[in-house]
Amino acid sequence: MSTFRRLNRWSGYMLLLVLTACTGAPNQVSVERVQGAISSHAMVSTAHPLATQVGVDILKRGGNAYDAAVAVQFALAVAYPRAGNIGGGGFLVFRTAEGEIGSLDFREKAPMNAFKDMYLNEDQQVVEGLSTNGHLASGVPGTVDGMVEIHSELGSLTFAELIQPAIDMAINGVVLTHREAEQLNELRDDFRAINNYETHVVRPSPWMPGDTLFQPELAQTLKRIQGSGRAGFYHSTTASLIVDEMQRGGGIITMEDLRDYRSVWREPVVGHYRSYRVISMGPPSSGGIALLQLLAGIAPHNIKQWGFNTSRTVHLMTELERRVYADRATYLGDPDFFDVPQDMLLDINYLNDRFGDINLNKATPSQKVKKGHVEIIESMETTHFSIIDSQGNAAAITTTLNGSYGNKVLVKGAGFFLNNEMDDFSIKPGFPNMFGLVGGVANAIAPGKRMLSSMTPTLVEKDGALLMVVGTPGGSTIITSVFQTILNVIDHGMTMQEAVNAKKFHHQWLPDEIDYEEEAFDQATMEKLMKMGHQLQLRESIGRMDAILRQDGQLEGAADYLRGDDTAIGY
Ligand code: DON
């Protein structure tokens, strides 16, 4: 029997199945299958073990998937403050046990004093760092309004119950993992430079794994939200603390911006891939439309036969991605401000035409699709979680501060970080954001507008029943990671855990290169790809999926324990 793959440190939840492929033949090859957490009732998969446990506890107490989602979001704001948040925003895609689908947009908005060229100097040049660090980088946060909305429309327990575990965690402290201690230490100088007071995230000696992070001010903020709902954040004390912070640091968010923030229920985008129905997030996320375009482009081809990450498969996926990301840059933005041609982008005739010039043996230089030059800064600071409850209700939430700890501004007296989501706008036509993404008028800054996102919380149905809940952080790589993970299960027959673990690659039109994780391709594949005209660029990590597969009466919760501290727990 071949060697077992490495068991993760949450070995209690991981099940290794060794299946003998066929019957009878003496020299049969054993096929080793790796599965995530298996359960028959309910499952929670998140970026942090404490947040996962909070979700499971809520479900066991009789809460539904949406109660658990609200509780997990607040728990992540405490246990995983680099991406979990109350100072940021995100998207929910849901499907109830009865098959009703919907999505909530609680994406941040540009403050009313924002304007198109606010990050440019007198010479119309981008002022470095202004849209990424410090007070001016923050959009008006949407998370708290989003959680209140989710609870009031879909929840069943009291809001106070859902937020209590986060409050307890903030008071009693969170034990830091190795990764968390390391991140806090790495950003120590930034925290110091950007905040003009002693924050609780900086201390005289470096953080060590096993140290406890106490967040008493965050606990007080959460208590205000617990007591007054959205008013506990968007009015009175918390709002005043945010506005005071803005005034101290030269930011522009006002009391009116906070008072007026509202999340929006939107139609999700829906399409079909082979015999599957795919439900994902529409604008102001580009994720759903781009994912459906990619799936439509792959559907005519038998990639199952071509094989996983073979040069033929990778080449086709890359050529599709190149064109889809060019569309993203041109046509996608906040639908409340820009007339996104959604029907056209998903029209099969348009797509046949768009993909019609793909040569299956030769790369198309991105310059021929459209011009530009960009660099990508690595970041893994969004977070996604997936939940299915015992009734079959499903929630997929991707939420973010954008960069690690957002704009690094810790609101004085309120204990939480603000986002740097303004960088997701196209701050100057053709100028790349921190993920190397470019854009133009569709995603230009305007007061009250939402910045374009790549977040792609997604549900997949088979024969009218829920099959998969997927999503990931990763900035521009979110869309291609979700794309690959779905193909890994549907076409390549992987378990959910294998699909999450599988090495990933990414192309985003500009820069014109295939980014790939180590061991994603063997040497021969790399040589073939280069011969076809592709540039290859090694990248540390792509994707960090937290997903659930519902099949044959059981749930498989797959959390990315290889790339993060992610944990899935079911019961
Ligand atoms: O909305 C977006 O597309 C980005 N703000 C997401 C940022 C992200 O995923 C960061 N890293 N994981």
Side-chain angles (χ1 to χ4, degrees), residues 197-220:
Y197 69 100
E198 280 308 313
T199 63
H200 69 266
V201 288
V202 175
R203 59 174 206 176
S205 56
W207 291 100
M208 302 293 287
D211 284 347
T212 303
L213 181 70
F214 296 98
Q215 300 174 78
E217 288 181 341
L218 178 55
Q220 291 308 315

Side-chain angles (χ1 to χ4, degrees), residues 91 107 328 379-383 400-403 421 424 434-435 437 452-455 472-476 478:
F91 300 106
R107 180 74 161 163
R328 181 195 189 278
S379 180
M380 222 11 103
E381 320 311 346
T382 297
T383 189
T400 190
L401 289 168
N402 198 23
E421 218 72 65
D424 272 351
M434 64 189 277
F435 303 107
L437 294 167
L452 185 62
S453 174
S454 299
M455 293 191 280
T472 181
S476 54
I478 291 174

Side-chain angles (χ1 to χ4, degrees), residues 431-448:
F431 186 85
N433 74 1
M434 64 189 277
F435 303 107
L437 294 167
V438 291
V441 66
N443 190 32
I445 302 174

